[in-house]
Amino acid sequence: MSNVAISARRLSPGAKAALGIFARYGTIIGLLAMIATFSILSPGAFPTVSNFTNVLNQASLAMIIAGGLTLAVVVGELDLSIGFAASLHGILITGLVVHDKLPIPLAVVIVIALGAVIGLVNGFIVTKVKVNSVIATLGVGTILTGLAFAYSAGVPIVAGVPEAFLQLSLGRWLFGIPNNIVAMIVVLGGLWLLVERTPLGQEIQAVGGNAVAARLAGVNVDRIKILGFVISGMCAALTGILLASRLGSGTASAADSYLLTAFAAVFLGSATLRDGEFHVLGTLVGALIIAFGFNGLNIFGAPTFSQYVLQGAILIIAVGMASLGRSLAER
Amino acid sequence: MAAPFLVARDIAKAFGGTQALKGVSLDIAPGEIHGLVGANGAGKSTFIRILAGLNHPDAGRVEIDGQGREIGTPQRATELGMSFIHQELAFVPGMTVLQNIMLGVPKKTRFGLTDWRAIARDVAPIARRVGISAPLNAGVKGLSTAEIWLINICRALVRKARLIVMDEPTASLAASEAERLFAIVRDLSASGVAVLYISHRLDEILSLCTRVSVFRDGRSVAELAGDALNRPALVEAIVGGAIRDVQRAATARQRGDVVMEAKKLTRAPKVHGVSLQLHAGEVLGIGGLVGAGRTELARLLFGADRPDSGEMMLMGRPYAPASPAAAVQAGLGLVPEERRAEALFLSKSIAFNLGIANLDKLAFGRYLPLMNRRARTSMAGEMIRSLSIKAQSASTPVGRLSGGNQQKVAIGRWLQRIPKVLILDEPTRGVDIGARAEIHRLIRQQAEAGMAVLVISSEPDELPELCDRVLVMAEGRIVRELTGPAVSRKAIVEASYLEPEAVMEDHPA
Ligand SMILES: Nc1ncnc2c1ncn2[C@@H]1O[C@H](COP(=O)(O)OP(=O)(O)OP(=O)(O)O)[C@@H](O)[C@H]1O
Ligand SMILES: [Mg+2]
């Protein structure tokens, strides 16, 4: 630490400004550098429209769930239930469509409403019962896993999935753009608009920035926090639905791993453009870094384990460099 | 004079595009009480943060005992014999008084474990000397700002500091506590410890300090001592010209109808049976000692806490706000006591901080719930101008402003909203004389326009300058009402020490 302090003292104002810029744009520079590197190393396979579309299409589900998580962390809480919730939603929608033969739009509405209810429960436990959000959402998530197993009796629902349901995720209804991407753009665009451009969004940011001050400024803090959880829950539901449609099946733990990916994206995003604050655009950049990193390694045939190592390493390096750069630049 | 303990020469420091210090110089002799004054944003806090090793100067030189030193880190500053009590007090809420005193101090150990008992024995006399009344093993949660101050001073003494720097020590102390602090400061000085004393209160500076340095816009512009050290000279050096001294408002202003009324409000243990009436167009002061229950009363009125018993009326109708949000809807506003913890979003822009209580004015419309960012920026620009907030632009994060300028943002939020009832808890804490006059003028202007204003202040001169009427609280009760010409510093201070039981009877409820 003291070594860092000493070197910081010798930094010229210009170098400090450069560090400050690096702290803010480091992740974006990293993303572009990564894309450039992969493009040079694999000019035939990587930098193609179809590969980019493919990467985006794959990443869209993670982006949607991470976008929801962003709202929960922006209001100052954590939501660990999203992955488990998405798994449950996946099974549920498959069951509703295959067994109960519900019309697909109705099933979708029901499942998303359930996502909202789960968020409401999370929010209620956190704000009214005053349980720490890590505990509350972990507890709720665990219960949801149990419910998922109970609903499917432990057996994945694979048979009899109608083609129309598969088209939810696989279709290209709008100008030939994959539905996943359209959904992602609509969701993230909507969330960005909500947080950054509406009066309600100002309250959302205020609650995350300083809940005590927000309360004394007349913001209904509990309501805003609950809203954050509800949005997080609804996004988890959407991801669960699209995943089930893409896989053509409902499995009790299909979406669990989205929790880690979503957290990685959100925290990478907090190191982007703003000084350690969570925001929707940052989450998008974070998710893109992870997606392109995985894709690049895939193209080179890197083993699966290396992808996880990469994800963990990128996260620590990016967030660490940003905060270090920031503290050096501020002195 | 003795060889100086500390010499600072031509210190400069920029934060991004803001040149906070352009070249300041200062020297302090052992045992000297050296004053440091200057308007909000003049660079005082930045200067001492550099001495403390928290910021690194871009240029300049620091000598301690005649030797050039690079301070570098807070630990180094401590080793060099300097101790700091910053504008924003340092303490850890979850720890005991003793643990807080020993924060960052090398501790005695026994068998490798911290020997708290031996430490307590060593610290106890020092704690007595500065007058810490809480037991050393008590938690600091719930202690008053004054007591936290004493803990900080005690920490400096335990570290055997040769220079203690105090950034606006009395900003949050009551008159009696301030007196005790002055006694401690004089005592320190007599024992050879130098004190660098930063304050906006010129009376204190004049009575305590032998020499005073003045900063203006990041430069040292004057060093006054002896006969040259007087109030007009200080004021002129601070603002760079003469300023009219603030006069007592003392206008027999039209008082309107009762807007807000409280009947026998009680919330144990701080507020007992408080009744009051607040009229439109009046500035009502609440005086008394820190800890008399004034902040707690304000919180009841604002719905931040619920009363145990008693009732309130607003505009003639029963009023029982379930939350501050409800109070704001009903037409109240509150500028809380602790701006950083309770009022501001430090990482957010000035525009954000001002806008947060005015969102209804910033939407494009009912059916288009988008924020009008241009309106927000121009609204912020207006406030920045009218309160002369020193900042690069409306998008500057509030955390980068100097303490006084942060306070102006906290107040500006409500001046923008124009509530029916505005409660201000220590509104000019840490605000320089020019801005203080401006804030007072704005408060009176709002009152003239019909707002009912309630001001809590521990600063002896503030209520007489500002208020038409003053209620004095002691131990959670209102012990005296002063009106018109009877409102004076002396009367307020006297009443602050009244025994509540003795006067309960003759106070008109
Ligand atoms: N971390 C920072 N980043 C950017 N600007 C800063 C930072 N800290 C201080 N400044 C700027 O430096 C200038 C001097 O601030 P400083 O806090 O030293 O003033 P001050 O004399 O202590 O004022 P006050 O009486 O209001 O406390 C101000 O214009 C402030 O906005
Ligand atoms: Mg200051």
Side-chain angles (χ1 to χ4, degrees):
Chain A
M1 196 56 228
S2 66
N3 285 338
V4 172
I6 287 166
S7 55
R9 213 174 323 150
R10 309 252 157 77
L11 291 177
S12 66
K16 285 186 186 180
L19 267 173
I21 289 174
F22 184 72
R24 290 171 153 244
Y25 299 100
T27 47
I28 293 179
I29 296 169
L31 174 62
L32 296 179
M34 190 163 70
I35 291 176
T37 313
F38 285 143
S39 303
I40 291 166
L41 292 180
S42 178
F46 186 79
T48 63
V49 173
S50 81
N51 185 46
F52 275 31
T53 315
N54 178 35
V55 171
L56 265 188
N57 192 1
Q58 295 268 332
S60 288
L61 304 197
M63 288 176 176
I64 292 171
I65 201 168
L69 178 64
T70 307
L71 264 282
V73 295
V74 166
V75 299
E77 303 292 347
L78 291 178
D79 188 347
L80 302 182
S81 70
I82 47 174
F84 309 119
S87 296
L88 171 65
H89 294 304
I91 287 207
L92 190 62
I93 188 125
T94 329
L96 290 177
V97 171
V98 174
H99 297 321
D100 302 323
K101 309 263 183 288
L102 287 188
I104 291 170
L106 179 62
V108 168
V109 169
I110 291 176
V111 170
I112 289 187
L114 177 71
V117 170
I118 292 172
L120 212 58
V121 171
N122 279 330
F124 187 82
I125 298 175
V126 170
T127 58
K128 305 295 179 189
V129 191
K130 305 207 187 304
V131 177
N132 177 294
S133 63
V134 172
I135 310 289
T137 57
L138 197 58
V140 167
T142 312
I143 293 173
L144 295 179
T145 303
L147 292 180
F149 277 104
Y151 185 80
S152 67
V155 187
I157 306 169
V158 281
V161 180
E163 175 62 22
F165 180 63
L166 302 182
Q167 284 304 315
L168 275 186
S169 171
L170 301 181
R172 293 170 175 247
W173 296 343
L174 211 65
F175 310 121
I177 307 168
N179 287 357
N180 289 340
I181 297 182
V182 174
M184 180 271 288
I185 290 173
V186 168
V187 169
L188 289 197
L191 292 179
W192 179 85
L193 207 63
L194 170 68
V195 175
E196 306 292 337
R197 289 290 183 272
T198 67
L200 185 60
Q202 299 282 295
E203 298 193 18
I204 290 172
Q205 292 185 44
V207 167
N210 181 347
V212 175
R215 179 162 181 264
L216 290 182
V219 176
N220 193 329
V221 172
D222 286 357
R223 215 170 60 197
I224 298 287
K225 288 203 165 178
I226 292 174
L227 177 69
F229 280 112
V230 167
I231 291 174
S232 178
M234 290 170 70
C235 289
L238 184 55
T239 292
I241 293 169
L242 291 176
L243 182 68
S245 158
R246 184 162 89 194
L247 298 176
S249 70
T251 318
S253 53
D256 290 4
S257 71
Y258 275 116
L259 175 63
L260 283 182
T261 311
F263 266 87
V266 165
F267 278 87
L268 275 174
S270 76
T272 304
L273 295 174
R274 296 196 196 164
D275 300 341
E277 270 178 31
F278 302 104
H279 58 129
V280 177
L281 198 60
T283 298
L284 179 69
V285 173
L288 283 175
I289 290 177
I290 295 169
F292 276 109
F294 271 36
N295 175 255
L297 290 184
N298 258 331
I299 286 179
F300 292 109
T304 311
F305 80 85
S306 68
Q307 302 179 3
Y308 286 95
V309 172
L310 172 92
Q311 183 174 342
I314 291 182
L315 180 63
I316 294 172
I317 292 171
V319 176
M321 298 243 276
S323 80
L324 203 63
R326 218 157 41 230
S327 71
L328 289 181
E330 295 248 308
R331 271 167 175 269
Chain B
M1 202 186 344
F5 167 71
L6 171 102
V7 176
R9 282 284 164 269
D10 305 318
I11 307 284
K13 171 75 188 173
F15 294 102
T18 321
Q19 191 73 37
L21 293 176
K22 296 171 186 155
V24 295
S25 303
L26 192 105
D27 56 75
I28 303 172
E32 175 185 8
I33 307 178
H34 194 113
L36 176 56
V37 297
N40 293 134
K44 306 178 295 293
S45 298
T46 304
F47 176 68
I48 71 158
R49 279 204 303 272
I50 286 173
L51 290 185
L54 293 169
N55 288 136
H56 300 285
D58 301 333
R61 201 156 49 87
V62 175
E63 284 173 20
I64 307 249
D65 288 327
Q67 273 194 304
R69 297 287 191 182
E70 232 174 284
I71 297 168
T73 63
Q75 294 89 309
R76 188 83 188 107
T78 310
E79 284 162 22
L80 291 170
M82 295 186 286
S83 218
F84 297 83
I85 308 182
H86 292 285
Q87 201 162 3
E88 321 301 342
L89 285 174
F91 70 102
V92 184
M95 305 206 307
T96 65
V97 172
L98 185 59
Q99 284 171 323
N100 266 289
I101 292 174
M102 297 304 290
L103 263 188
V105 184
K107 299 172 194 65
K108 270 193 190 167
T109 55
R110 209 171 152 213
F111 311 126
L113 298 175
T114 311
D115 187 354
W116 286 110
R117 207 176 291 172
I119 294 170
R121 264 198 311 277
D122 295 348
V123 170
I126 305 176
R128 257 198 309 282
R129 176 175 164 200
V130 302
I132 293 179
S133 57
L136 290 181
N137 58 8
V140 290
K141 208 171 172 203
L143 289 189
S144 70
T145 318
E147 285 164 305
I148 306 276
W149 254 97
L150 297 179
I151 287 175
N152 276 269
I153 294 176
C154 196
R155 186 186 304 151
L157 292 181
V158 169
R159 287 172 168 177
K160 306 205 170 25
R162 295 176 57 204
L163 168 67
I164 302 184
V165 180
M166 304 183 179
D167 198 352
E168 300 193 33
T170 51
S172 38
L173 300 186
S176 67
E177 294 162 338
E179 288 300 331
R180 196 160 88 203
L181 177 76
F182 301 155
I184 294 169
V185 166
R186 292 197 175 98
D187 177 50
L188 289 173
S189 152
S191 67
V193 177
V195 174
L196 180 60
Y197 191 95
I198 301 177
S199 179
H200 290 294
R201 303 193 184 169
L202 301 184
D203 299 337
E204 287 172 19
I205 292 279
L206 289 167
S207 82
L208 269 179
C209 303
T210 42
R211 225 160 26 127
V212 179
S213 297
V214 185
F215 286 4
R216 188 168 71 230
D217 289 333
R219 281 183 220 285
S220 15
V221 291
E223 185 185 280
L224 304 171
D227 287 343
L229 180 55
N230 53 54
R231 197 182 165 91
L234 275 180
V235 172
E236 188 173 333
I238 291 170
V239 300
I243 189 178
R244 53 193 162 75
D245 236 347
V246 189
Q247 305 281 312
R248 157 123 173 80
T251 46
R253 205 180 305 135
Q254 282 289 1
R255 195 164 83 159
D257 301 336
V258 175
V259 176
M260 192 175 194
E261 191 172 0
K263 284 183 204 144
K264 300 232 174 285
L265 271 191
T266 296
R267 181 184 162 92
K270 292 282 201 168
V271 181
H272 299 284
V274 170
S275 301
L276 61 82
Q277 290 190 328
L278 182 59
H279 296 256
E282 86 169 330
V283 183
L284 173 62
I286 308 266
L289 304 178
V290 169
R294 298 168 305 167
T295 295
E296 290 75 7
L297 173 62
R299 288 178 62 88
L300 290 180
L301 299 177
F302 193 62
D305 294 322
R306 305 281 199 89
D308 299 336
S309 64
E311 41 188 86
M312 294 181 274
M313 309 276 281
L314 188 70
M315 316 292 288
R317 263 178 286 163
Y319 163 73
S323 67
V328 171
Q329 283 309 313
L332 270 77
L334 171 73
V335 178
E337 187 177 15
E338 299 288 343
R339 57 175 169 259
R340 290 170 73 93
E342 301 176 330
L344 297 174
F345 308 93
L346 295 171
S347 63
K348 307 283 188 205
S349 68
I350 297 176
F352 180 98
N353 275 275
L354 290 171
I356 194 67
N358 297 286
L359 295 175
D360 38 0
K361 287 184 206 149
L362 295 178
F364 271 117
R366 205 168 193 6
Y367 299 101
L368 183 61
L370 285 185
M371 198 179 53
N372 187 341
R373 307 209 316 150
R374 193 175 299 163
R376 192 180 75 164
T377 308
S378 74
M379 187 184 211
E382 224 170 82
M383 255 308 134
I384 289 174
R385 260 191 312 284
S386 85
L387 290 177
S388 39
I389 295 171
K390 194 176 172 217
Q392 266 186 328
S393 77
S395 55
T396 306
V398 162
R400 299 232 169 116
L401 302 182
S402 77
N405 285 302
Q406 291 179 0
Q407 181 67 16
K408 294 182 202 171
V409 173
I411 294 179
R413 175 187 297 165
W414 296 108
L415 292 181
Q416 200 97 65
R417 184 176 175 88
I418 317 189
K420 291 191 199 79
V421 176
L422 180 58
I423 305 171
L424 302 114
D425 198 350
E426 308 287 357
T428 58
R429 173 182 287 180
V431 169
D432 69 49
I433 40 173
R436 186 181 129 118
E438 186 57 24
I439 288 173
H440 284 182
R441 196 183 63 72
L442 285 164
I443 291 174
R444 282 196 295 256
Q445 190 182 36
Q446 298 289 350
E448 254 142 52
M451 192 186 288
V453 184
L454 191 76
V455 179
I456 297 171
S457 176
S458 304
E459 201 192 326
D461 292 321
E462 179 150 47
L463 296 180
E465 272 169 27
L466 193 57
C467 301
D468 310 297
R469 189 161 67 98
V470 171
L471 300 174
V472 182
M473 277 181 82
E475 294 175 33
R477 297 186 162 82
I478 290 177
V479 292
R480 178 140 307 168
E481 173 172 358
L482 303 163
T483 315
V487 179
S488 72
R489 172 191 176 129
K490 187 159 164 284
I492 293 172
V493 173
E494 265 173 22
S496 302
Y497 291 96
L498 286 176
E499 291 279 329
E501 313 303 335
V503 287
M504 278 269 285
E505 267 54 57
D506 57 63
H507 174 68

